[in-house]
Amino acid sequence: MTTGANQTPHRRRAGNGAARRIDADEIGLDALVGHAGYAVRRFQIWIFQDFIKTLGEVDIRPTQYSVLTLIGANPGLSQMAVAKRLGIERARLVHLLDSLEERKLVKRIKSKSDRRSHALHLTTQGETALAKFKRLAAEHERHVEQKLGKANRERLLQILAGFT
């Protein structure tokens, strides 16, 4: 990675003890090169940035998209079920659902079987919005395919399938 216009370049000590300016992409990664976690995290950063850029016009974040997609595919799920399936902390999900409810994309309906629980549904506006989000997310996936190549993208999905 290179430094941006408003970022300070990293410094490395020269042999005489003086610091010299170097670009970030000149810094050796040593053992990090062989760490899957490091590579996955860097890819995640790239993928989230592209997702946010591609879906920027609709102001939707990756986690919000995941929640809306899950609710759209499974109307009536409880908050607990959504949190568990997506691996989201309950408190964070409540905040996220509040924001989606404010945008009139999701509605909570008190459960008939458990008064402490709510069934989650997309609103009509939420269904329309999700269809647009999915079209934009498909464009994002085309960007991923351009970055990795079709065969590598498919292989990556196969490798990661055990974690979904």
Side-chain angles (χ1 to χ4, degrees), residues 131-146:
K132 182 174 185 173
F133 300 162
K134 285 181 177 182
R135 285 191 299 276
L136 291 168
E139 180 182 331
H140 160 68
E141 286 300 317
R142 285 190 294 278
H143 298 165
V144 174
E145 187 172 297
Q146 289 170 352

Side-chain angles (χ1 to χ4, degrees), residues 34-47:
H35 287 271
Y38 178 76
V40 167
R41 177 66 177 137
R42 294 306 302 242
F43 182 60
Q44 179 193 30
I45 291 168
W46 178 87
I47 216 163

Side-chain angles (χ1 to χ4, degrees), residues 63-124:
T63 307
Q64 293 170 321
Y65 176 75
S66 296
V67 168
L68 289 169
T69 300
L70 194 68
I71 294 169
N74 304 278
L77 283 180
S78 69
Q79 291 177 195
M80 180 76 85
V82 171
K84 186 174 182 178
R85 182 64 178 104
L86 294 177
I88 301 172
E89 293 176 15
R90 285 181 56 205
R92 182 168 179 241
L93 179 64
V94 168
H95 178 69
L96 192 148
L97 289 170
D98 288 345
S99 70
L100 293 174
E101 215 170 22
E102 286 172 18
R103 292 175 65 180
K104 302 193 183 327
L105 300 176
V106 170
K107 61 185 171 186
R108 294 174 175 127
I109 299 172
K110 287 195 185 265
S111 171
K112 294 175 182 169
S113 60
D114 181 357
R115 288 187 285 170
R116 298 168 296 164
S117 180
H118 291 88
L120 301 172
H121 295 270
L122 296 181
T123 62
T124 302

Side-chain angles (χ1 to χ4, degrees), residues 43-55:
F43 182 60
Q44 179 193 30
I45 291 168
W46 178 87
I47 216 163
F48 272 40
Q49 287 173 342
D50 185 79
F51 184 96
I52 291 164
K53 179 181 173 188
T54 306
L55 281 86

